[in-house]
């Protein structure tokens, strides 16, 4: 097994085929983009077909009835030592965030793999997360071609719907519901959806929020008769952000785990039906997210923020002046209202164990492969179910290969060398564990 190295021809062929599918892998249902992950899953299954037929690799496609076009793949290689337990490589996913080829400043088509000077690989999904899918595909194929079984049973879980909110009947949640993660309980699990190697020691929780503002519309030349829903919504969201910063400030644990940013609440979307400059809008909806470091409780945060917004609306009813707020009531006495909610339950963050054998094995593998001591960090990006896996006793550690600066960004790219090293690090983990 020590002789295994990335087969670049197969890796690039798989990655090229995956990125060619990305127009149909973009995940943003609100914009009409519903991915068909079965297309990407089929690329993996085609590459592994001889080894699935031989039985060296066992494959299972998991999605509930009605979601057959959006499966996860569970790929298993039985270990040579039945008593050794299991090892999981989990989290690499088939879906990608949308790419606006014309509006975001892409220098080349995001939907075609481009191989540039110095081994640069360019295209939507190169890092997040199709490059990881291609690395794992090559690793499994090489194990099968050589007939080399790792000591522990290896379970690779490639997932759907990572880039959107949880939906019933698909994604990693459905895999867990079907009991396919049970044999990873208490075992080392490496989540492969990060970048810059790391290791990534922690991630943030996420909760989406929505604020509906009802004002009083009318002629912009008669503001005394109006409550501007857009201005009221902006003021309310800024007041909420101020409160959030005071209530959920940076912590000492964030320094210990190396978080690159603290908890945050921000507005990211504004919607309103008004399209005329001389008309004051009566209805506006603001939406955004909370990114919460794992040292705060997600449910408590949601209760606290919801209570604050309920009280903020009550202050409008009592006509209590709020510094910096625009007009909240018309001359005739009609007032603006705030209606706030968290749609969905949210996803918890994780602080990985700093004293675990899994982390030490990952650090040692990185040191051996890259020749330099790793630089651990944490960030408030979010991952599904990692906290649940940790509660099951799994030694969850997080890493990934490629360029973090291009996550969810235009001109996504990584270096081929990153994936060469990433492959070898995964090989080292199989040997060491």
């Amino acid at each position: 097994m020590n002789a295994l190295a990335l087969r670049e021809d197969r890796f690039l062929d798989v990655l090229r085929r995956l990125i060619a599918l990305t127009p149909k892998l973009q995940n943003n249902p609100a914009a009409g983009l519903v991915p068909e992950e079965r297309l990407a899953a089929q690329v993996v299954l085609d590459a592994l077909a001889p080894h699935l037929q031989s039985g060296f690799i066992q494959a299972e496609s998991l999605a509930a009835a009605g979601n057959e076009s959006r499966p996860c793949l569970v790929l298993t290689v039985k270990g040579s030592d039945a008593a050794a337990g299991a090892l999981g490589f989990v989290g690499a996913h088939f879906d990608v965030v949308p790419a606006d080829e014309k509006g975001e400043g892409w220098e080349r088509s995001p939907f075609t793999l481009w191989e540039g000077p110095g081994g640069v690989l360019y295209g939507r999904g190169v890092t997040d997360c199709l490059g990881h899918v291609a690395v794992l595909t090559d690793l499994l194929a090489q194990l099968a071609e050589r007939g080399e079984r790792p000591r522990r049973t290896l379970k690779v879980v490639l997932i759907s719907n990572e880039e959107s909110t949880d939906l019933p009947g698909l994604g990693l949640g459905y895999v867990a519901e079907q009991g396919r993660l049970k044999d990873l309980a208490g075992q080392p699990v490496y989540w492969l959806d990060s970048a810059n190697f790391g290791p990534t020691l922690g991630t943030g929780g996420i909760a989406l929020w929505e604020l509906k503002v009802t004002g009083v519309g009318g002629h912009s030349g008669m503001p005394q008769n109006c409550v501007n829903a857009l201005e009221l919504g902006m003021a309310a969201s800024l007041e909420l952000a101020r409160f959030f910063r005071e209530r959920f400030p940076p912590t000492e644990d964030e320094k210990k785990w190396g978080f690159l940013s603290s908890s945050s609440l921000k507005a990211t979307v504004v919607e309103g039906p008004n399209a005329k400059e001389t008309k004051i809008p009566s209805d506006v909806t603001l939406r955004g997210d909370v990114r919460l470091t794992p040292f705060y409780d997600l449910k408590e945060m949601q209760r606290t923020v919801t209570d604050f917004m309920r009280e903020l609306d009550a202050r409008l009813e009592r006509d209590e002046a709020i510094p910096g707020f625009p007009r909240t009531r018309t001359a005739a006495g009609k007032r603006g209202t705030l209606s706030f909610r968290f749609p969905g339950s949210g996803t918890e963050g994780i602080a990985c164990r700093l004293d675990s054998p899994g982390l030490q094995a990952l650090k040692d593998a990185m040191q051996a492969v890259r020749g330099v001591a790793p630089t651990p960090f944490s960030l408030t990006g979010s991952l599904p179910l990692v906290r649940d896996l940790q509660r099951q006793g799994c030694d969850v550690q997080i890493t990934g290969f490629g360029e973090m600066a291009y996550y969810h960004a235009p001109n996504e790219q990584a270096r081929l060398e990153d994936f060469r090293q990433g492959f070898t690090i995964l090989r080292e983990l199989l040997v060491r564990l």
Side-chain angles (χ1 to χ4, degrees):
M1 191 176 296
N2 285 323
L4 293 181
L6 184 70
R7 253 192 60 180
E8 294 175 18
D9 57 340
R10 177 163 47 210
F11 166 76
L12 290 172
D13 178 65
V14 170
L15 183 58
R16 190 175 297 112
R17 293 173 64 194
L18 289 171
I19 290 181
L21 294 171
T22 50
K24 295 184 177 180
L25 299 177
Q26 298 175 96
N27 195 347
N28 185 3
L33 298 173
V34 178
E36 298 178 64
E37 289 96 341
R38 65 177 174 81
L39 301 174
Q42 192 59 54
V43 170
V44 174
L45 293 174
D46 288 346
L48 299 177
H51 317 303
L52 301 174
Q53 294 169 3
S54 72
F56 188 92
I57 302 172
Q58 300 170 15
E60 189 173 13
S61 179
L62 290 170
N67 290 318
E68 290 86 355
S69 67
R70 307 199 58 192
C72 296
L73 280 186
V74 179
L75 303 163
T76 304
V77 175
K78 290 293 185 183
S80 61
D81 182 353
L87 172 66
F89 291 154
V90 179
H93 52 90
F94 296 129
D95 59 327
V96 300
V97 294
D100 183 350
E101 186 171 358
K102 297 180 179 178
E104 292 182 328
W106 286 81
E107 297 172 2
R108 298 175 179 83
S109 170
F111 306 126
T112 302
L113 179 66
W114 180 76
E115 301 165 51
V120 172
L121 304 175
Y122 178 105
R124 176 54 90 215
V126 163
T127 297
D128 185 20
C129 197
L130 299 177
H132 295 84
V133 171
V135 165
L136 289 165
T137 301
D138 183 49
L139 177 64
L140 290 168
Q142 290 200 48
L143 291 173
E145 288 163 356
R146 294 169 175 263
E148 292 192 62
R149 294 188 179 274
R151 188 172 68 89
R152 295 174 180 263
T153 291
L154 173 62
K155 177 163 283 192
V156 173
V157 185
L158 306 176
I159 65 178
S160 64
N161 200 50
E162 196 277 339
E163 297 289 9
S164 187
T165 56
D166 287 343
L167 294 172
L170 57 87
L172 188 62
Y174 183 72
V175 175
E177 289 172 9
Q178 300 307 301
R180 300 308 193 271
L181 302 180
K182 286 184 178 179
D183 51 355
L184 291 178
Q187 305 296 311
V189 173
Y190 291 93
W191 192 276
L192 301 180
D193 181 14
S194 188
N196 291 6
F197 292 92
T200 303
L201 300 178
T203 67
I206 181 174
L208 305 182
W209 58 264
E210 178 184 83
L211 172 61
K212 290 187 175 182
V213 184
T214 302
V216 181
H219 196 297
S220 65
M222 304 174 188
Q224 73 279 5
N225 296 331
C226 305
V227 174
N228 189 323
L230 178 57
E231 291 184 348
L232 180 56
M234 293 167 61
S237 66
L238 290 173
E239 183 70 7
L240 173 59
R242 181 200 60 76
F243 166 78
F244 183 89
R245 289 192 297 270
E246 290 180 357
R247 179 61 181 77
F248 302 97
T251 71
E252 288 300 313
D253 281 331
E254 291 172 14
K255 296 179 183 178
K256 183 177 179 181
W257 266 261
F259 270 86
L260 301 179
S261 62
S262 299
S263 301
S264 63
L265 178 151
K266 79 289 289 182
T268 55
V269 175
V270 180
E271 293 180 347
N274 188 34
K276 188 172 179 60
E277 290 84 351
T278 58
K279 179 183 176 183
I280 290 177
S282 60
D283 297 284
V284 167
T285 299
L286 292 89
R287 293 196 296 272
D289 70 5
V290 173
R291 301 288 178 153
L292 194 71
T293 60
F295 314 109
Y296 291 110
D297 182 82
L298 186 71
K299 299 302 181 188
E300 180 186 353
M301 179 278 296
Q302 290 175 309
R303 288 192 297 270
T304 301
V305 167
T306 300
D307 288 346
F308 174 80
M309 291 303 289
R310 188 180 296 114
E311 174 58 23
L312 189 59
D313 185 63
R315 290 180 66 183
L316 300 186
E317 175 63 28
R318 298 192 298 265
D319 284 334
E320 292 184 359
I322 302 170
F325 264 54
R327 177 188 298 273
T328 62
R329 195 178 292 269
T330 70
K334 293 182 180 180
R335 80 170 180 96
T337 63
L338 307 173
S339 177
F340 182 89
R341 72 186 184 106
F342 284 103
S345 57
T347 297
E348 294 180 282
I350 186 174
C352 299
R353 284 180 52 199
L354 302 182
D355 60 349
S356 79
L359 178 57
Q360 190 59 51
L362 181 58
K363 288 181 176 179
D364 291 346
M366 288 183 174
Q367 175 85 45
V369 172
R370 308 190 75 212
V372 294
T375 306
F377 64 90
S378 297
L379 71 169
T380 52
S382 301
L383 302 172
L385 288 184
V386 286
R387 190 68 169 268
D388 289 340
L389 289 169
Q390 190 181 60
R391 288 193 180 104
Q392 293 175 19
C394 296
D395 181 5
V396 179
Q397 300 297 330
I398 303 165
T399 190
F401 324 119
E403 296 287 338
M404 181 66 72
Y406 292 104
Y407 252 58
H408 291 202
N411 300 310
E412 185 174 349
Q413 58 192 270
R415 297 182 309 135
L416 178 58
E417 178 61 23
D418 291 343
F419 294 110
R420 290 193 194 104
Q421 294 181 8
F423 179 99
T424 309
I425 288 167
L426 299 183
R427 182 203 71 195
E428 285 290 307
L429 290 173
L430 292 180
V431 171
R432 293 167 186 270
L433 294 171

